[in-house]
Protein backbone atom coordinates (compact mmCIF):
# COMPACT_ATOMS: atom_id res chain seq x y z
CA UNK A 1 0.00 0.00 0.00
CA UNK A 2 2.77 2.46 0.90
CA UNK A 3 4.60 1.85 -2.38
CA UNK A 4 1.40 2.31 -4.36
CA UNK A 5 0.62 5.55 -2.55
CA UNK A 6 4.17 6.81 -3.13
CA UNK A 7 4.04 6.06 -6.85
CA UNK A 8 0.63 7.56 -7.47
CA UNK A 9 0.64 10.53 -5.11
CA UNK A 10 4.24 11.62 -5.47
CA UNK A 11 5.74 10.26 -8.67
CA UNK A 12 2.81 10.83 -10.98
CA UNK A 13 1.84 14.19 -9.48
CA UNK A 14 5.33 15.69 -9.41
CA UNK A 15 7.54 13.74 -11.77
CA UNK A 16 5.04 12.23 -14.19
CA UNK A 17 3.70 13.61 -17.44
CA UNK A 18 0.42 12.11 -18.56
CA UNK A 19 0.68 13.37 -22.14
CA UNK A 20 4.22 12.08 -22.64
CA UNK A 21 3.50 8.84 -20.81
CA UNK A 22 0.63 8.15 -23.17
CA UNK A 23 2.85 8.71 -26.22
CA UNK A 24 5.24 6.04 -24.95
CA UNK A 25 2.63 3.72 -23.45
CA UNK A 26 2.58 0.05 -24.45
CA UNK A 27 -0.71 0.61 -26.24
CA UNK A 28 0.61 3.54 -28.25
CA UNK A 29 3.89 1.79 -29.11
CA UNK A 30 1.97 -1.28 -30.28
CA UNK A 31 -0.17 0.94 -32.50
CA UNK A 32 2.98 2.44 -34.04
CA UNK A 33 4.35 -1.05 -34.75
CA UNK A 34 1.10 -2.00 -36.47
CA UNK A 35 1.36 1.21 -38.47
CA UNK A 36 4.82 0.11 -39.63
CA UNK A 37 3.61 -3.34 -40.66
CA UNK A 38 0.66 -1.96 -42.60
CA UNK A 39 2.83 0.53 -44.47
CA UNK A 40 5.49 -2.10 -45.17
CA UNK A 41 2.98 -4.51 -46.72
CA UNK A 42 1.42 -1.84 -48.91
CA UNK A 43 4.79 -0.55 -50.17
CA UNK A 44 6.06 -4.07 -50.87
CA UNK A 45 2.85 -4.87 -52.74
CA UNK A 46 3.21 -1.76 -54.89
CA UNK A 47 6.82 -2.69 -55.69
CA UNK A 48 5.93 -6.29 -56.52
CA UNK A 49 8.00 -7.71 -53.67
CA UNK A 50 4.85 -9.47 -52.44
CA UNK A 51 1.55 -9.88 -54.28
CA UNK A 52 -0.14 -6.50 -54.57
CA UNK A 53 -3.48 -7.96 -53.43
CA UNK A 54 -1.83 -9.33 -50.28
CA UNK A 55 -0.13 -6.05 -49.56
CA UNK A 56 -3.42 -4.20 -49.78
CA UNK A 57 -5.27 -6.87 -47.80
CA UNK A 58 -2.75 -6.61 -44.97
CA UNK A 59 -2.89 -2.81 -44.99
CA UNK A 60 -6.67 -2.69 -44.94
CA UNK A 61 -7.23 -5.73 -42.71
CA UNK A 62 -5.15 -4.32 -39.86
CA UNK A 63 -6.61 -0.81 -39.93
CA UNK A 64 -8.59 -1.18 -36.72
CA UNK A 65 -6.88 -4.05 -34.90
CA UNK A 66 -6.65 -3.81 -31.12
CA UNK A 67 -3.43 -5.53 -30.07
CA UNK A 68 -3.53 -7.90 -27.08
CA UNK A 69 -0.82 -6.37 -24.89
CA UNK A 70 -0.72 -9.37 -22.56
CA UNK A 71 0.16 -11.59 -25.51
CA UNK A 72 2.96 -9.23 -26.47
CA UNK A 73 4.24 -9.30 -22.89
CA UNK A 74 4.44 -13.08 -22.97
CA UNK A 75 6.22 -12.88 -26.30
CA UNK A 76 8.86 -10.58 -24.87
CA UNK A 77 9.55 -13.12 -22.14
CA UNK A 78 10.28 -15.85 -24.68
CA UNK A 79 11.79 -13.85 -27.57
CA UNK A 80 13.29 -10.85 -25.83
CA UNK A 81 11.27 -8.54 -28.10
CA UNK A 82 7.57 -8.05 -28.77
CA UNK A 83 7.60 -8.28 -32.56
CA UNK A 84 7.34 -12.09 -33.06
CA UNK A 85 4.25 -12.16 -30.83
CA UNK A 86 2.87 -9.09 -32.60
CA UNK A 87 3.30 -10.67 -36.02
CA UNK A 88 1.66 -13.87 -34.81
CA UNK A 89 -1.34 -12.01 -33.44
CA UNK A 90 -1.73 -9.82 -36.50
CA UNK A 91 -1.70 -12.87 -38.76
CA UNK A 92 -4.62 -14.24 -36.79
CA UNK A 93 -6.66 -11.30 -38.11
CA UNK A 94 -5.75 -12.02 -41.74
CA UNK A 95 -6.54 -14.61 -44.36
CA UNK A 96 -3.55 -17.04 -44.33
CA UNK A 97 -3.15 -16.51 -48.07
CA UNK A 98 -2.30 -12.89 -47.38
CA UNK A 99 -1.02 -13.13 -43.81
CA UNK A 100 2.02 -15.13 -44.88
CA UNK A 101 3.42 -11.96 -46.48
CA UNK A 102 3.17 -9.89 -43.32
CA UNK A 103 6.55 -8.59 -42.02
CA UNK A 104 8.21 -9.66 -45.28
CA UNK A 105 11.97 -9.06 -45.23
CA UNK A 106 11.86 -6.98 -42.04
CA UNK A 107 13.50 -7.69 -38.71
CA UNK A 108 12.24 -6.94 -35.22
CA UNK A 109 14.56 -3.99 -34.81
CA UNK A 110 13.18 -2.37 -37.96
CA UNK A 111 9.73 -2.39 -36.40
CA UNK A 112 10.68 -1.33 -32.88
CA UNK A 113 13.15 1.39 -33.90
CA UNK A 114 10.74 2.95 -36.37
CA UNK A 115 7.90 2.80 -33.85
CA UNK A 116 10.13 4.50 -31.28
CA UNK A 117 11.04 7.20 -33.78
CA UNK A 118 7.36 7.81 -34.58
CA UNK A 119 6.71 8.26 -30.87
CA UNK A 120 9.66 10.65 -30.63
CA UNK A 121 8.14 12.69 -33.46
CA UNK A 122 4.98 13.16 -31.41
CA UNK A 123 6.98 13.96 -28.29
CA UNK A 124 9.10 16.55 -30.11
CA UNK A 125 5.94 18.37 -31.21
CA UNK A 126 4.84 18.62 -27.57
CA UNK A 127 8.28 19.55 -26.29
CA UNK A 128 8.66 22.31 -28.88
CA UNK A 129 5.38 23.91 -27.84
CA UNK A 130 6.27 23.73 -24.16
CA UNK A 131 9.78 25.07 -24.70
CA UNK A 132 8.43 27.99 -26.70
CA UNK A 133 5.86 28.73 -23.99
CA UNK A 134 8.52 28.79 -21.26
CA UNK A 135 10.75 31.16 -23.24
CA UNK A 136 7.77 33.40 -24.05
CA UNK A 137 6.81 33.55 -20.37
CA UNK A 138 10.37 34.36 -19.31
CA UNK A 139 10.57 37.05 -22.00
CA UNK A 140 7.41 38.68 -20.67
CA UNK A 141 8.78 38.67 -17.11
CA UNK A 142 12.15 40.00 -18.24
CA UNK A 143 10.38 42.94 -19.85
CA UNK A 144 8.25 43.51 -16.78
CA UNK A 145 11.31 43.72 -14.53
CA UNK A 146 13.77 45.24 -16.98
CA UNK A 147 14.31 48.33 -14.78
CA UNK A 148 14.29 46.68 -11.36
CA UNK A 149 17.82 46.67 -9.94
CA UNK A 150 18.86 43.73 -7.77
CA UNK A 151 22.11 42.70 -6.13
CA UNK A 152 24.01 40.42 -8.46
CA UNK A 153 25.70 37.44 -6.86
CA UNK A 154 28.81 35.54 -7.86
CA UNK A 155 30.26 32.53 -6.06
CA UNK A 156 27.66 32.89 -3.34
CA UNK A 157 28.55 36.50 -2.57
CA UNK A 158 26.87 39.80 -3.34
CA UNK A 159 28.69 41.24 -6.34
CA UNK A 160 27.47 44.16 -8.49
CA UNK A 161 24.01 45.52 -9.31
CA UNK A 162 22.17 43.99 -12.25
CA UNK A 163 18.48 43.94 -13.12
CA UNK A 164 15.95 41.25 -12.41
CA UNK A 165 15.17 41.40 -16.13
CA UNK A 166 18.74 40.44 -17.02
CA UNK A 167 18.75 37.58 -14.53
CA UNK A 168 15.58 36.21 -16.10
CA UNK A 169 17.06 36.66 -19.58
CA UNK A 170 20.06 34.59 -18.51
CA UNK A 171 17.71 31.79 -17.48
CA UNK A 172 16.19 31.90 -20.96
CA UNK A 173 19.49 32.19 -22.82
CA UNK A 174 20.38 28.47 -23.06
CA UNK A 175 16.76 27.58 -23.80
CA UNK A 176 16.80 29.94 -26.78
CA UNK A 177 19.88 28.19 -28.19
CA UNK A 178 18.25 24.82 -27.57
CA UNK A 179 15.10 25.99 -29.35
CA UNK A 180 17.15 26.89 -32.43
CA UNK A 181 18.49 23.34 -32.70
CA UNK A 182 15.08 21.66 -33.02
CA UNK A 183 15.28 21.32 -36.84
CA UNK A 184 18.65 19.58 -36.47
CA UNK A 185 17.23 17.22 -33.85
CA UNK A 186 14.33 16.29 -36.12
CA UNK A 187 16.70 15.66 -39.02
CA UNK A 188 18.93 13.42 -36.89
CA UNK A 189 16.25 11.31 -35.24
CA UNK A 190 13.15 11.17 -37.46
CA UNK A 191 14.52 8.53 -39.84
CA UNK A 192 12.99 5.26 -40.95
CA UNK A 193 14.68 1.99 -39.99
CA UNK A 194 14.64 -0.81 -42.57
CA UNK A 195 17.60 -3.15 -42.95
CA UNK A 196 16.46 -6.71 -42.46
CA UNK A 197 18.16 -9.34 -40.37
CA UNK A 198 21.76 -8.08 -40.57
CA UNK A 199 21.26 -4.64 -42.04
CA UNK A 200 21.87 -5.65 -45.65
CA UNK A 201 18.27 -5.94 -46.91
CA UNK A 202 19.22 -9.22 -48.56
CA UNK A 203 15.72 -10.72 -48.27
CA UNK A 204 14.18 -7.92 -50.32
CA UNK A 205 17.03 -7.29 -52.77
CA UNK A 206 17.12 -5.41 -55.07
CA UNK A 207 14.18 -3.47 -53.64
CA UNK A 208 15.50 -2.73 -50.14
CA UNK A 209 16.31 0.92 -50.74
CA UNK A 210 13.02 1.54 -52.53
CA UNK A 211 11.08 -0.05 -49.68
CA UNK A 212 12.88 2.20 -47.20
CA UNK A 213 12.05 5.30 -49.23
CA UNK A 214 8.41 4.24 -49.55
CA UNK A 215 8.16 3.52 -45.83
CA UNK A 216 9.64 6.90 -44.99
CA UNK A 217 7.14 8.69 -47.19
CA UNK A 218 4.18 6.73 -45.83
CA UNK A 219 5.18 7.31 -42.20
CA UNK A 220 6.26 10.94 -42.53
CA UNK A 221 9.92 10.19 -41.81
CA UNK A 222 13.17 10.73 -43.68
CA UNK A 223 14.70 7.84 -45.67
CA UNK A 224 17.95 6.49 -44.24
CA UNK A 225 20.47 3.73 -44.53
CA UNK A 226 19.95 1.02 -41.89
CA UNK A 227 21.13 2.34 -38.52
CA UNK A 228 20.80 -0.81 -36.40
CA UNK A 229 24.24 -0.30 -34.86
CA UNK A 230 24.50 3.47 -35.33
CA UNK A 231 22.75 4.81 -32.25
CA UNK A 232 24.29 8.28 -32.51
CA UNK A 233 20.94 9.81 -33.45
CA UNK A 234 19.33 8.59 -30.24
CA UNK A 235 22.33 9.75 -28.20
CA UNK A 236 22.05 13.14 -29.92
CA UNK A 237 18.38 13.33 -28.95
CA UNK A 238 19.15 12.32 -25.36
CA UNK A 239 21.88 14.98 -25.19
CA UNK A 240 19.47 17.62 -26.45
CA UNK A 241 16.90 16.61 -23.85
CA UNK A 242 19.58 16.71 -21.17
CA UNK A 243 20.51 20.26 -22.20
CA UNK A 244 16.91 21.33 -21.59
CA UNK A 245 16.84 19.61 -18.20
CA UNK A 246 20.14 21.15 -17.11
CA UNK A 247 19.12 24.64 -18.24
CA UNK A 248 15.85 24.35 -16.33
CA UNK A 249 17.70 22.97 -13.30
CA UNK A 250 19.92 26.09 -13.18
CA UNK A 251 16.79 28.26 -13.38
CA UNK A 252 15.12 26.24 -10.62
CA UNK A 253 18.26 26.27 -8.49
CA UNK A 254 18.48 30.05 -8.64
CA UNK A 255 14.83 30.32 -7.65
CA UNK A 256 15.45 28.11 -4.62
CA UNK A 257 18.32 30.36 -3.54
CA UNK A 258 16.47 33.63 -4.04
CA UNK A 259 13.25 32.33 -2.47
CA UNK A 260 15.05 31.45 0.79
CA UNK A 261 13.45 32.80 3.96
CA UNK A 262 16.30 35.21 4.66
CA UNK A 263 16.37 36.56 1.07
CA UNK A 264 12.85 36.30 -0.41
CA UNK A 265 13.71 38.46 -3.39
CA UNK A 266 11.32 36.49 -5.61
CA UNK A 267 8.42 34.10 -5.31
CA UNK A 268 7.11 31.59 -7.83
CA UNK A 269 4.71 28.68 -7.86
CA UNK A 270 2.20 27.72 -5.23
CA UNK A 271 4.72 26.58 -2.63
CA UNK A 272 4.32 23.56 -0.41
CA UNK A 273 3.48 23.43 3.27
CA UNK A 274 5.39 21.65 6.00
CA UNK A 275 3.76 18.96 8.13
CA UNK A 276 5.06 20.59 11.34
CA UNK A 277 6.24 24.12 10.46
CA UNK A 278 3.33 26.32 9.32
CA UNK A 279 5.59 29.27 8.49
CA UNK A 280 7.29 27.41 5.63
CA UNK A 281 6.44 27.59 1.93
CA UNK A 282 8.63 24.94 0.38
CA UNK A 283 9.87 25.44 -3.21
CA UNK A 284 8.24 22.26 -4.48
CA UNK A 285 8.21 23.22 -8.16
CA UNK A 286 11.91 24.17 -8.36
CA UNK A 287 12.89 21.13 -6.29
CA UNK A 288 10.95 18.87 -8.64
CA UNK A 289 12.78 20.30 -11.66
CA UNK A 290 16.11 19.66 -9.94
CA UNK A 291 15.12 16.07 -9.20
CA UNK A 292 13.97 15.52 -12.78
CA UNK A 293 17.31 16.84 -14.04
CA UNK A 294 19.08 14.21 -11.96
CA UNK A 295 16.85 11.54 -13.47
CA UNK A 296 17.59 12.88 -16.96
CA UNK A 297 21.35 12.77 -16.31
CA UNK A 298 21.12 9.13 -15.24
CA UNK A 299 18.99 8.21 -18.26
CA UNK A 300 21.35 10.03 -20.63
CA UNK A 301 24.32 8.09 -19.26
CA UNK A 302 22.46 4.81 -19.81
CA UNK A 303 21.48 5.71 -23.38
CA UNK A 304 25.06 6.66 -24.21
CA UNK A 305 26.22 3.35 -22.76
CA UNK A 306 23.68 1.46 -24.87
CA UNK A 307 25.18 2.97 -28.05
CA UNK A 308 28.19 0.70 -27.62
CA UNK A 309 26.68 -2.09 -29.72
CA UNK A 310 28.20 -5.38 -30.83
CA UNK A 311 28.43 -6.88 -34.33
CA UNK A 312 25.67 -6.26 -36.89
CA UNK A 313 22.81 -6.13 -34.38
CA UNK A 314 22.87 -6.19 -30.61
CA UNK A 315 20.13 -7.67 -28.45
CA UNK A 316 21.75 -6.85 -25.12
CA UNK A 317 22.30 -3.08 -25.31
CA UNK A 318 19.29 -2.28 -27.48
CA UNK A 319 16.60 -2.92 -24.80
CA UNK A 320 18.25 -0.35 -22.51
CA UNK A 321 16.89 2.33 -24.86
CA UNK A 322 13.34 1.02 -24.48
CA UNK A 323 13.46 1.78 -20.76
CA UNK A 324 15.54 4.96 -20.69
CA UNK A 325 14.57 6.95 -23.79
CA UNK A 326 10.93 7.33 -22.71
CA UNK A 327 12.12 8.24 -19.22
CA UNK A 328 14.35 11.11 -20.33
CA UNK A 329 11.60 12.41 -22.63
CA UNK A 330 9.01 12.23 -19.86
CA UNK A 331 11.37 13.85 -17.33
CA UNK A 332 12.13 16.70 -19.73
CA UNK A 333 8.47 17.19 -20.59
CA UNK A 334 7.51 17.32 -16.92
CA UNK A 335 10.33 19.80 -16.21
CA UNK A 336 9.06 22.13 -18.92
CA UNK A 337 5.54 21.98 -17.50
CA UNK A 338 6.78 22.90 -14.01
CA UNK A 339 9.05 25.59 -15.46
CA UNK A 340 6.14 27.23 -17.26
CA UNK A 341 4.11 27.49 -14.03
CA UNK A 342 7.09 29.03 -12.27
CA UNK A 343 7.72 31.53 -15.08
CA UNK A 344 4.10 32.60 -15.27
CA UNK A 345 3.80 33.08 -11.49
CA UNK A 346 7.25 34.61 -10.97
CA UNK A 347 7.04 37.76 -8.85
CA UNK A 348 9.85 40.03 -7.74
CA UNK A 349 9.55 41.26 -4.16
CA UNK A 350 10.74 44.83 -4.59
CA UNK A 351 10.80 45.69 -0.87
CA UNK A 352 13.12 42.77 -0.09
CA UNK A 353 15.32 43.58 -3.07
CA UNK A 354 15.70 47.20 -1.97
CA UNK A 355 16.42 46.13 1.60
CA UNK A 356 19.29 43.90 0.44
CA UNK A 357 20.74 46.72 -1.66
CA UNK A 358 20.44 49.19 1.23
CA UNK A 359 22.10 46.83 3.69
CA UNK A 360 24.93 45.98 1.32
CA UNK A 361 26.08 49.18 -0.34
CA UNK A 362 29.33 47.39 -1.13
CA UNK A 363 27.41 46.16 -4.16
CA UNK A 364 28.31 49.56 -5.64
CA UNK A 365 32.06 49.20 -5.05
CA UNK A 366 33.00 48.32 -8.61
CA UNK A 367 30.83 51.04 -10.17
CA UNK A 368 32.10 53.69 -7.76
CA UNK A 369 35.70 52.61 -8.33
CA UNK A 370 35.46 53.05 -12.09
CA UNK A 371 33.61 56.34 -11.80
CA UNK A 372 36.19 57.67 -9.33
CA UNK A 373 38.84 56.76 -11.90
CA UNK A 374 37.45 59.55 -14.05
CA UNK A 375 38.62 62.00 -11.37
CA UNK A 376 41.92 60.42 -10.26
CA UNK A 377 44.34 57.66 -11.35
CA UNK A 378 42.65 54.28 -11.28
CA UNK A 379 45.06 52.68 -8.74
CA UNK A 380 44.33 55.59 -6.41
CA UNK A 381 40.57 55.16 -6.91
CA UNK A 382 40.76 51.42 -6.20
CA UNK A 383 42.85 51.98 -3.10
CA UNK A 384 40.40 54.60 -1.84
CA UNK A 385 37.45 52.24 -2.17
CA UNK A 386 39.36 49.43 -0.43
CA UNK A 387 40.31 51.71 2.45
CA UNK A 388 36.67 52.80 2.79
CA UNK A 389 35.55 49.17 2.89
CA UNK A 390 37.99 48.45 5.75
CA UNK A 391 36.47 51.14 8.00
CA UNK A 392 33.46 48.99 8.81
CA UNK A 393 31.17 51.88 7.94
CA UNK A 394 28.73 51.86 5.01
CA UNK A 395 30.65 52.62 1.84
CA UNK A 396 28.42 55.60 1.06
CA UNK A 397 29.41 57.14 4.44
CA UNK A 398 33.09 56.22 4.51
CA UNK A 399 34.13 57.27 1.02
CA UNK A 400 33.26 60.99 1.28
CA UNK A 401 35.17 61.12 4.56
CA UNK A 402 38.32 59.68 2.97
CA UNK A 403 38.14 61.45 -0.38
CA UNK A 404 39.53 64.98 -0.61
CA UNK A 405 37.52 65.82 -3.71
CA UNK A 406 34.03 67.27 -3.62
CA UNK A 407 32.03 64.85 -5.82
CA UNK A 408 28.39 64.09 -6.51
CA UNK A 409 28.25 61.01 -4.32
CA UNK A 410 24.56 60.38 -4.91
CA UNK A 411 25.31 60.10 -8.61
CA UNK A 412 28.28 57.82 -8.02
CA UNK A 413 26.18 55.49 -5.86
CA UNK A 414 23.12 55.49 -8.15
CA UNK A 415 22.32 51.80 -8.90
CA UNK A 416 20.03 52.85 -11.77
CA UNK A 417 23.14 53.33 -13.90
CA UNK A 418 23.13 49.53 -14.21
CA UNK A 419 19.76 49.47 -15.96
CA UNK A 420 20.78 50.53 -19.47
CA UNK A 421 23.61 48.02 -20.04
CA UNK A 422 21.59 45.21 -18.45
CA UNK A 423 18.58 45.99 -20.62
CA UNK A 424 20.76 46.01 -23.72
CA UNK A 425 22.08 42.51 -22.98
CA UNK A 426 18.66 41.13 -22.06
CA UNK A 427 17.12 42.47 -25.24
CA UNK A 428 19.96 41.01 -27.31
CA UNK A 429 19.43 37.59 -25.72
CA UNK A 430 15.76 37.48 -26.70
CA UNK A 431 16.45 39.06 -30.10
CA UNK A 432 18.52 35.96 -30.89
CA UNK A 433 15.31 34.01 -31.32
Amino acid sequence: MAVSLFQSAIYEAQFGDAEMSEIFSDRAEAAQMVRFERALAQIEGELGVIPKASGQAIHDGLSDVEVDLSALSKGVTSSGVAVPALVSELRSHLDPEHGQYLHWGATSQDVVDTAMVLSCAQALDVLELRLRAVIDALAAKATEYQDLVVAGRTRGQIATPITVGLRIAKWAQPLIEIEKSIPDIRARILRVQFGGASGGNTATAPHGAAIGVGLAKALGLAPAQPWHVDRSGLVHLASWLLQISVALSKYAGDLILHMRSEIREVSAGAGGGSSTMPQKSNPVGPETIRTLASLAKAAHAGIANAADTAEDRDGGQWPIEWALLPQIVIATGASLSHALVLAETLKANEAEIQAVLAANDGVMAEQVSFMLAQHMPRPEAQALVKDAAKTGKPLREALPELCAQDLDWDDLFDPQKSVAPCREIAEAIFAAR
Side-chain angles (χ1 to χ4, degrees):
M1 179 66 72
V3 173
S4 174
L5 176 62
F6 178 84
Q7 290 176 336
S8 62
I10 299 180
Y11 185 86
E12 290 302 327
Q14 287 182 237
F15 308 131
D17 187 315
E19 187 173 17
M20 290 297 186
S21 296
E22 175 55 30
I23 289 173
F24 289 98
S25 67
D26 291 341
R27 182 180 61 81
E29 288 288 343
Q32 298 288 21
M33 290 193 287
V34 173
R35 187 180 169 194
F36 174 93
E37 295 289 4
R38 293 179 65 220
L40 175 64
Q42 187 172 47
I43 297 299
E44 290 182 331
E46 292 172 352
L47 292 172
V49 177
I50 64 175
K52 186 171 184 178
S54 295
Q56 197 61 47
I58 293 170
H59 179 271
D60 296 344
L62 300 179
S63 62
D64 57 357
V65 168
E66 288 289 336
V67 176
D68 182 354
L69 297 179
S70 63
L72 297 194
S73 179
K74 293 176 182 177
V76 172
T77 301
S78 60
S79 304
V81 64
V83 177
L86 174 72
V87 172
S88 177
E89 181 178 347
L90 295 182
R91 281 184 176 145
S92 71
H93 294 272
L94 300 167
D95 186 306
E97 177 186 354
H98 302 306
Q100 63 178 313
Y101 295 107
L102 178 71
H103 195 63
W104 191 270
T107 192
S108 293
Q109 192 165 349
D110 293 336
V111 185
V112 174
D113 279 354
T114 304
M116 181 70 80
V117 165
L118 290 170
S119 296
C120 287
Q122 288 183 272
L124 282 170
D125 289 341
V126 177
L127 290 169
E128 181 175 7
L129 290 174
R130 292 185 187 180
L131 179 60
R132 184 185 308 153
V134 171
I135 298 172
D136 287 345
L138 290 174
K141 290 295 181 178
T143 299
E144 181 179 351
Y145 294 118
Q146 63 185 353
D147 296 334
L148 181 56
V149 178
V150 65
R153 290 176 174 82
T154 61
R155 301 176 67 180
Q157 304 294 308
I158 288 179
T160 59
I162 61 170
T163 62
V164 174
L166 178 57
R167 180 173 286 160
I168 295 171
K170 289 179 179 179
W171 293 335
Q173 188 172 12
L175 298 176
I176 290 170
E177 294 304 312
I178 291 165
E179 182 185 42
K180 290 180 187 177
S181 64
I182 291 176
D184 173 63
I185 293 298
R186 293 185 186 277
R188 287 292 303 276
I189 191 64
L190 303 186
R191 304 177 298 162
V192 74
Q193 174 76 283
F194 185 70
S198 299
N201 277 329
T202 52
T204 55
H207 302 287
I211 294 171
V213 170
L215 272 172
K217 184 177 180 180
L219 298 173
L221 301 174
Q225 301 305 318
W227 45 278
H228 292 149
V229 292
D230 175 13
R231 315 310 284 179
S232 60
L234 294 179
V235 175
H236 193 60
L237 172 62
S239 297
W240 181 78
L241 293 166
L242 182 61
Q243 289 177 53
I244 297 175
S245 294
V246 169
L248 294 178
S249 183
K250 186 271 188 291
Y251 159 50
D254 279 357
L255 285 178
I256 291 172
L257 289 172
H258 297 296
M259 290 166 62
R260 291 172 64 94
S261 301
E262 63 271 31
I263 300 176
R264 293 185 298 179
E265 291 183 336
V266 297
S267 60
S274 166
S275 60
T276 59
M277 294 170 284
Q279 83 281 7
K280 291 183 68 181
S281 179
N282 295 321
V284 175
E287 288 174 338
T288 299
I289 291 174
R290 299 278 285 179
T291 301
L292 288 165
S294 295
L295 293 174
K297 291 172 187 176
H300 174 268
I303 292 168
N305 181 67
D308 182 15
T309 57
E311 301 181 310
D312 301 302
R313 280 181 57 223
D314 191 320
Q317 299 286 66
W318 181 40
I320 294 173
E321 297 168 353
W322 309 347
L324 297 183
L325 188 61
Q327 288 304 310
I328 193 170
V329 176
I330 292 169
T332 305
S335 289
L336 285 166
S337 294
H338 286 291
L340 179 59
V341 172
L342 294 173
E344 290 177 337
T345 59
L346 180 64
K347 181 180 179 181
N349 299 323
E350 190 166 353
E352 300 291 344
I353 288 172
Q354 296 298 336
V356 171
L357 288 171
N360 297 273
D361 69 348
V363 71
M364 301 301 300
E366 181 191 65
Q367 176 178 310
V368 170
S369 174
F370 276 94
M371 293 187 71
L372 282 175
Q374 299 173 17
H375 304 277
M376 63 188 70
R378 187 180 174 194
E380 183 179 333
Q382 289 178 311
L384 183 63
V385 173
K386 287 182 179 179
D387 288 343
K390 292 176 182 178
T391 65
K393 297 179 180 180
L395 200 63
R396 175 66 178 82
E397 178 184 337
L399 262 176
E401 294 176 356
L402 296 177
C403 183
Q405 298 189 39
D406 184 18
L407 301 174
D408 186 349
W409 294 103
D410 288 337
D411 181 66
L412 265 64
F413 275 88
D414 182 8
Q416 292 302 119
K417 292 182 180 295
S418 304
V419 171
C422 289
R423 182 190 292 184
E424 180 181 357
I425 296 171
E427 290 176 349
I429 288 172
F430 288 107
R433 295 183 77 187

